């Protein structure tokens, strides 16, 4: 058995068809889409095509799609930009306590600039309650940002309900939809959001390219200056191979969504059922139904998640203890903490995130390795080694 990758929520490999689509834009069609000559116009057409593809797949208009360097940038442009533009109407912002750090740290930076932020705790199953959002709204609230699907436990948030309620009061709503795009249907108008962030490498596109949807009529202040590109909201020469790759990857992910999510749900259920049957003292984190098909977060009582991660890695198996961005820190996951999971139990948690390259045989091998590794680590912990 070679190496097995079960960390697709951290990043996914760029698929072959996407690489093929990108290749001509490195050299053959390397024009700058802002140039007037034929080389430039060829690139401009590819840029327009990619924008139309992404817009169509998200139910948006092409002019509402802005290409960026990824979701961290999209989140920053959306949240900081909206806060700056609307500060004259109030300085209160709302988000959840279990957002990705690209959202959380942006809000923390805004607190230092004089904004007040309410960080809502999800319930014990990892869902943000719309009534909690409603109760925390104030006359000076200008922006609410709640993720569409959580990256550590996969729960799908009631974003449509929250967005409807927030926007009825004339308050802006943003969602970090990184984990949901390409996995479940995401339609900006049905969701009723003002802004939505995504990144290509979570759906088998290249790293370093993403997009931000901004509803027509929503004015946000740019963070960067220097050119007219991307409606001057994100100036700078576009990452053409990346943008072409993002569009190709999104198209494929949407085409295969139903079939692939059914397959992954089956594999995830096999994994979880086997863990429950064969390993004592385990707890599956998150909501049993209201979640993505490919993510499973499991707490193994009495052991250290990082030790288990390393034991699996020695067998060529890649998993995660939380989000990749917090790897190396010994604090238990902020997501599980926000949900009220016992910190000791949270420390023994592992996120398995399945993907296109995983087969049933892979999952069965993972289970065998896991059963052995968990019992060995627990024995060592008991012996005080
Ligand atoms: C991965 C991820 C991001 C960050 O995406 P980058 O491409 O690294 O900028 C943001 N939010 C969520 C929920 C993610 O999973």
């Amino acid at each position: 058995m070679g190496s097995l990758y079960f960390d697709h929520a951290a990043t996914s490999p760029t698929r072959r068809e996407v690489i093929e689509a990108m290749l001509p834009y490195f050299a053959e069609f390397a024009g700058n889409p802002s140039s007037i000559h034929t080389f430039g116009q060829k690139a401009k057409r590819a840029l327009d095509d990619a924008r139309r593809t992404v817009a169509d797949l998200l139910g948006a208009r092409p002019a509402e799609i802005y290409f960026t360097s990824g979701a961290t940038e999209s989140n920053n442009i959306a949240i900081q930009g909206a806060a700056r533009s609307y500060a004259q109407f109030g300085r209160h912002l709302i988000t959840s306590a279990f957002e990705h750090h690209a959202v959380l740290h942006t809000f923390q930076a805004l607190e230092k600039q004089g904004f007040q932020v309410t960080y809502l705790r999800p319930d014990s199953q990892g869902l943000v309650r719309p009534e909690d959002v409603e109760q925390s709204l104030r006359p000076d609230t200008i922006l609410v940002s709640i993720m569409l699907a959580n990256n550590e436990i996969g729960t799908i948030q009631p974003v449509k309900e929250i967005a409807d309620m927030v926007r009825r009061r004339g308050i802006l709503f943003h969602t970090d939809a990184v984990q949901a795009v390409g996995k479940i249907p995401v339609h900006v108008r049905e969701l009723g959001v003002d802004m939505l962030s995504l990144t290509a490498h979570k759906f088998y596109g290249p790293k370093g390219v993403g997009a931000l949807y901004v509803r027509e009529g929503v004015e946000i202040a740019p963070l960067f200056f220097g050119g007219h590109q991307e409606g001057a909201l994100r100036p700078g020469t576009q990452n053409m191979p990346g943008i072409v790759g993002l569009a190709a990857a999104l198209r494929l992910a949407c085409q295969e969504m139903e079939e692939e999510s059914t397959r992954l749900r089956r594999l995830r259920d096999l994994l979880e059922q086997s863990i429950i049957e064969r390993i004592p003292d385990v707890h599956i984190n998150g909501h049993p139904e209201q979640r993505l098909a490919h993510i499973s977060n499991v707490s193994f009582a009495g052991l250290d998640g990082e030790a288990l991660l390393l034991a699996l890695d020695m067998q060529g198996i890649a998993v995660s203890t939380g989000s990749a961005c917090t790897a190396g820190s010994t604090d238990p996951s902020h997501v599980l903490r926000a949900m009220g999971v016992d910190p000791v139990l949270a420390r023994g948690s592992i996120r398995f995130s399945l993907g296109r390259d995983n087969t049933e045989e892979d999952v069965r091998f993972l289970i065998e390795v896991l059963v052995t590794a968990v019992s060995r680590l627990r024995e060592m912990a008991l012996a005080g080694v």
Side-chain angles (χ1 to χ4, degrees), residues 51-321:
R51 201 184 308 282
R52 196 170 320 111
T53 299
V54 173
D56 285 348
L57 292 169
L58 296 177
R61 280 191 271 273
E64 297 173 316
I65 301 298
Y66 300 85
F67 291 112
T68 67
S69 69
T72 301
E73 188 179 14
S74 296
N75 287 336
N76 272 273
I77 293 174
I79 296 165
Q80 291 194 55
R84 280 187 205 175
S85 290
Y86 291 78
Q88 53 186 315
F89 303 109
R91 296 178 80 78
H92 179 238
L93 317 165
I94 300 171
T95 189
S96 82
F98 77 159
E99 297 291 317
H100 188 276
H101 286 129
V103 168
L104 276 184
H105 290 175
T106 303
F107 277 105
Q108 284 163 12
L110 286 169
E111 275 185 287
K112 293 206 179 86
Q113 294 168 30
F115 288 89
Q116 290 178 331
V117 183
T118 300
Y119 298 93
L120 295 172
R121 280 182 56 162
D123 66 15
S124 61
Q125 293 191 307
L127 293 177
V128 175
R129 283 174 292 240
E131 53 271 31
D132 287 352
V133 178
E134 187 159 27
Q135 277 163 25
S136 55
L137 291 172
R138 308 193 322 204
D140 61 340
T141 306
I142 54 166
L143 171 71
V144 177
S145 177
I146 305 288
M147 68 203 318
L148 187 46
N150 184 275
N151 48 302
E152 289 190 31
I153 53 168
T155 48
I156 301 167
Q157 305 305 315
V159 158
K160 182 180 163 50
E161 222 178 317
I162 298 171
D164 281 352
M165 180 246 299
V166 165
R167 284 194 39 221
R168 240 183 292 125
R169 290 164 167 81
I171 299 165
L172 282 181
F173 184 84
H174 165 259
T175 190
D176 175 342
V178 166
Q179 294 289 341
V181 169
K183 308 296 194 309
I184 57 171
V186 173
H187 189 289
V188 290
R189 266 172 241 289
E190 269 167 34
L191 282 173
V193 299
D194 292 304
M195 298 179 284
L196 178 145
S197 306
L198 61 90
T199 190
H201 71 104
K202 302 287 172 88
F203 50 83
Y204 308 97
K207 293 169 185 58
V209 63
L212 174 65
Y213 157 80
V214 182
R215 196 165 59 82
E216 224 168 326
V218 172
E219 293 289 330
I220 56 176
L223 306 187
F224 306 123
F225 301 91
H228 60 278
Q229 294 95 339
E230 301 304 302
L233 185 58
R234 204 285 187 176
T237 304
Q238 286 92 347
N239 171 2
M240 285 306 301
I243 289 168
V244 168
L246 182 152
L250 186 57
R251 188 195 290 284
L252 289 165
C254 290
Q255 276 166 7
E256 297 168 5
M257 183 184 295
E258 226 178 283
E259 202 177 329
E260 182 63 0
S261 64
T262 305
R263 192 184 75 87
L264 292 177
R265 186 171 298 111
R266 225 175 44 76
L267 290 184
R268 183 205 60 199
D269 290 348
L270 169 68
L271 175 65
E272 290 186 350
Q273 277 157 22
S274 307
I275 288 175
I276 291 167
E277 278 166 24
R278 298 187 52 192
I279 306 178
D281 297 325
V282 295
H283 179 77
I284 311 283
N285 297 305
H287 193 279
E289 283 104 40
Q290 190 68 15
R291 61 171 169 158
L292 300 171
H294 67 295
I295 296 181
S296 177
N297 190 302
V298 186
S299 294
F300 299 89
L303 59 76
D304 177 38
E306 200 145 298
L308 180 54
L309 180 153
L310 294 171
L312 295 178
D313 191 42
M314 301 260 284
Q315 305 287 323
I317 295 174
V319 298
S320 159
T321 50

